[in-house]
Amino acid sequence: MNTAVDNKDKKTSPAACVPAHVAIIMDGNGRWAKSRLMPRSYGHLKGMERMIGLLEHAFDVGVRYVTVYALSTENLSRPKEEVDALFGLFRKYFNEYARKIIERESRLCILGDVTALPSDIQDMVAEIESQSRRFEGRCVNIALNYGARDEIVRAVNLAAERGEKVDKESFSSLLYTGGQPDPDLIIRTGKEKRLSNFLLWQAAYAELYFSDKMFPAFSDKDFDAALKDYASRERRFGKV
Ligand code: FPP
């Protein structure tokens, strides 16, 4: 599904300049902490706090879908100490944040293979997914143990198991993001300029925005600057 507006609409309606779906690759927690002579886990703590603030801000400015890359399939192979610290943060902050999501009548979806996560975390996310399923206007997607190639292979296998021949629309519906609009804008912090196995199918026509800021330092103003840059772009979706 693609809800992005064309350039003609942008000129006539300022609200149309706000992307419906923004996805964020939150890179740079480790380097941010290192530059302050602090452990990587401190960078993740500050990244977590920033993530929560940014999600609230994105809704405040009218974005309806926000996807954050919290843990890739590859991240799970980091030293056990770091992975445990990330899960510890998740346990500490998730329920409190989930309450805010529900208060804002927003849906929360997890993208990724949750079966490889600790069982208490699986229970926490299943509970909030089920409680928030009734909300349709806004959605936060948290990519956890997510990899786009795994997601695509999973969708192919689902179609094969069902004996279905797919087209672009039906294939999209088999992805973790099934039924949601594709991201209009993908932001990556932390200086690197690549997608790192994030939303490869869904990113087909996304605008890309790269920030040199490390994620814990990526402010609401920086996010607004990304939206402003997006609003200035002409999206043609392959047409003239
Ligand atoms: C990339 O920075 C960031 C991550 C691997 C994790 C992102 C997680 C959060 C923002 C916290 C919320 C999520 C959970 C699951 C608690 P990096 O460590 O690769 O930084 P570097 O490139 O500077 O080393």
Side-chain angles (χ1 to χ4, degrees):
M1 197 194 311
N2 208 325
T3 59
V5 289
D6 67 22
N7 207 40
K8 183 170 130 282
D9 289 339
K10 280 185 193 173
K11 281 183 191 145
T12 52
S13 159
C17 293
V18 177
H21 185 169
V22 179
I24 311 173
I25 302 174
M26 307 180 290
D27 195 17
N29 292 347
R31 280 166 288 159
W32 182 88
K34 193 175 170 200
S35 71
R36 283 161 180 76
L37 307 177
M38 295 296 280
R40 292 178 62 79
S41 55
Y42 182 69
H44 292 314
L45 166 67
K46 290 295 162 188
M48 180 72 156
E49 290 173 0
R50 188 74 287 264
M51 179 183 100
I52 292 172
L54 210 49
L55 288 168
E56 294 271 307
H57 178 68
F59 281 165
D60 287 343
V61 296
V63 176
R64 293 191 300 112
Y65 290 80
V66 192
T67 300
V68 285
Y69 205 0
L71 197 67
S72 70
T73 45
E74 292 75 21
N75 290 157
L76 275 188
S77 318
R78 287 189 177 188
K80 186 176 178 315
E81 193 188 20
E82 181 167 347
V83 175
D84 285 349
L86 278 167
F87 287 144
L89 273 181
F90 194 86
R91 289 186 181 96
K92 191 163 170 213
Y93 283 85
F94 182 75
N95 281 337
E96 186 188 330
Y97 176 62
R99 265 202 307 279
K100 286 190 186 170
I101 296 252
I102 301 273
E103 275 165 21
R104 292 195 78 145
E105 303 198 340
S106 313
R107 188 170 172 193
L108 185 132
C109 298
I110 300 296
L111 316 182
D113 176 15
V114 289
T115 62
L117 302 177
S119 62
D120 61 323
I121 290 187
Q122 290 185 43
D123 293 344
M124 285 164 83
V125 298
E127 169 71 18
I128 182 74
E129 278 188 314
S130 105
Q131 277 185 39
S132 67
R133 193 160 288 140
R134 64 188 190 275
F135 301 126
E136 284 180 358
R138 281 190 289 247
C139 179
V140 171
N141 293 315
I142 302 183
L144 266 187
N145 192 25
Y146 173 86
R149 287 182 169 179
D150 286 343
E151 177 185 37
I152 291 168
V153 169
R154 173 180 170 274
V156 169
N157 286 330
L158 278 174
E161 278 162 25
R162 296 175 189 174
E164 284 173 8
K165 199 168 169 202
V166 290
D167 58 19
K168 283 179 284 185
E169 277 69 37
S170 61
F171 186 75
S172 290
S173 74
L174 297 174
L175 299 172
Y176 292 120
T177 48
Q180 301 187 14
D182 286 340
D184 304 298
L185 172 66
I186 298 181
I187 298 172
R188 180 175 187 141
T189 64
K191 275 194 179 158
E192 311 294 353
K193 294 180 176 60
R194 53 178 172 261
L195 285 179
S196 299
N197 204 14
F198 187 49
L199 303 177
L200 297 183
W201 173 275
Q202 298 90 331
Y205 287 101
E207 297 293 326
L208 307 180
Y209 182 90
F210 298 101
S211 168
D212 285 350
K213 292 258 181 100
M214 300 297 128
F215 184 69
F218 189 74
S219 66
D220 291 352
K221 272 192 174 165
D222 295 322
F223 183 82
D224 293 344
L227 296 196
K228 196 170 168 208
D229 187 85
Y230 168 86
S232 73
R233 299 188 194 184
E234 185 188 355
R235 302 185 76 193
R236 289 191 296 275
F237 301 100
K239 297 172 188 151
V240 287

